[in-house]
C-alpha cells in the first residue's frame, strides 16, 4: 500500500514537472536526440567524416582551442568586426529612425528605399561587398552594418511613432524645447523598440 502510494506521489510530481516545464524538456530532448543521431550517423559510416565530423570530435576540438588559446585572436577579430559594424549602424540608424518617426516628409522620402533594401537578403550583397571593399575586415564590417542598420531604423521609427502624443503635448504646453522633448520623452519611449 505504501509502495503504491509513493509511486502515485512520484507520478503526480513528474506530471507537475512535465506541465510546468513541457517546452524546455521537449527542446532539450530534441537537441540531444539530434546530436545522438548525428553522432551515430558519423560513427556507423553512413556519413563520411571528411564532410561532417561528429559532435564529440567537434566538442573535443573546441576544448582544445580554448585550452591552448589559439581561438582568442579569432574571437577578438570577429568581436571587433561586429562591434564596429553595429556601432556604425546604431550611429546612423537611430537618428534616421527618429527623423522618420518625427517627420512625415522624411518618412515618405526614405521609407521606399529602406523597405526595398530590408526585404532583400543581406548575404545577396556579399559579392558586391567583396568587389567594392575587398576580402578584409572592411567588407565584413559593411555586411554587419547592412544586416543591422535597417532593423534599427525600422524599430526606432516604430518606437517614435508609438510615443504617447499626450506626453509630447503636455511637454509643449509647459514650454519644453524640441531638444528636451526628444531627449526626455521620445528617446526613452523609443529605446525599447530600438534594442
Amino acid at each position: 500500500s505504501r509502495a503504491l502510494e509513493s509511486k502515485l506521489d512520484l507520478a503526480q510530481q513528474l506530471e507537475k514537472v512535465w506541465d510546468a516545464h513541457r517546452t524546455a524538456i521537449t527542446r532539450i530532448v530534441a537537441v540531444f536526440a539530434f546530436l545522438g543521431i548525428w553522432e551515430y550517423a558519423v560513427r556507423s559510416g553512413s556519413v563520411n567524416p571528411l564532410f561532417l565530423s561528429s559532435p564529440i570530435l567537434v566538442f573535443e576540438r573546441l576544448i582544445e582551442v580554448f585550452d591552448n588559446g589559439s581561438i582568442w585572436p579569432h574571437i577578438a577579430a570577429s568581436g571587433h568586426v561586429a562591434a564596429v559594424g553595429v556601432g556604425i549602424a546604431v550611429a546612423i540608424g537611430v537618428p534616421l529612425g527618429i527623423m522618420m518617426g518625427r517627420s512625415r516628409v522624411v518618412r515618405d522620402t526614405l521609407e521606399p528605399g529602406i523597405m526595398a533594401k530590408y526585404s532583400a537578403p543581406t548575404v545577396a550583397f556579399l559579392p558586391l561587398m567583396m568587389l567594392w571593399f575587398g576580402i578584409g575586415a572592411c567588407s565584413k564590417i559593411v555586411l554587419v552594418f547592412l544586416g543591422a542598420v535597417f532593423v534599427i531604423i525600422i524599430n526606432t521609427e516604430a518606437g517614435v511613432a508609438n510615443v504617447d502624443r499626450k506626453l509630447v503635448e503636455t511637454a509643449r504646453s509647459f514650454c519644453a524645447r524640441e531638444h528636451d522633448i526628444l531627449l526626455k520623452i521620445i528617446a526613452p519611449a523609443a529605446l525599447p523598440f530600438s534594442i
Side-chain angles (χ1 to χ4, degrees):
S1 170
R2 284 184 182 176
L4 184 60
E5 285 178 14
S6 65
K7 285 182 182 179
L8 287 174
D9 287 342
L10 180 62
Q12 288 173 345
Q13 288 174 354
L14 289 174
E15 188 175 345
K16 286 180 185 177
V17 169
W18 172 253
D19 288 340
H21 305 289
R22 178 187 315 246
T23 303
I25 293 169
T26 304
R27 290 179 180 171
I28 290 168
V29 168
V31 167
F32 278 105
F34 172 75
L35 291 174
I37 291 168
W38 177 7
E39 183 71 31
Y40 175 77
V42 173
R43 287 190 184 253
S44 68
S46 302
V47 177
N48 187 342
L50 180 66
F51 300 113
L52 186 67
S53 186
S54 77
I56 290 176
L57 291 176
V58 170
F59 184 70
E60 287 172 356
R61 180 69 179 140
L62 185 66
I63 290 173
E64 182 183 324
V65 295
F66 271 105
D67 189 41
N68 66 24
S70 62
I71 198 167
W72 295 115
H74 304 290
I75 289 176
S78 296
H80 176 262
V81 166
V84 171
V86 170
I88 295 170
V90 167
I92 292 172
V94 169
L96 276 177
I98 290 172
M99 286 190 296
M100 288 174 66
R102 297 284 289 154
S103 169
R104 185 175 182 144
V105 173
V106 175
R107 181 175 58 246
D108 291 345
T109 304
L110 297 179
E111 199 168 53
I114 288 171
M115 288 304 178
K117 168 51 195 92
Y118 181 65
S119 62
T122 304
V123 178
F125 294 94
L126 185 58
L128 287 175
M129 296 303 108
M130 291 172 67
L131 283 174
W132 293 341
F133 301 104
I135 59 171
C138 189
S139 64
K140 296 175 186 123
I141 289 170
V142 171
L143 202 61
V144 170
F145 167 79
L146 288 175
V149 72
F150 297 103
V151 174
I152 291 170
I153 290 171
I154 291 166
N155 287 335
T156 303
E157 178 193 356
V160 171
N162 285 320
V163 170
D164 188 356
R165 295 292 163 216
K166 291 179 183 175
L167 292 174
V168 176
E169 290 167 10
T170 304
R172 282 204 177 113
S173 70
F174 283 102
C175 301
R177 294 174 298 175
E178 196 64 28
H179 178 70
D180 291 329
I181 292 171
L182 184 66
L183 287 179
K184 294 179 180 174
I185 297 172
I186 293 172
L191 191 62
F193 288 84
S194 302
I195 296 177

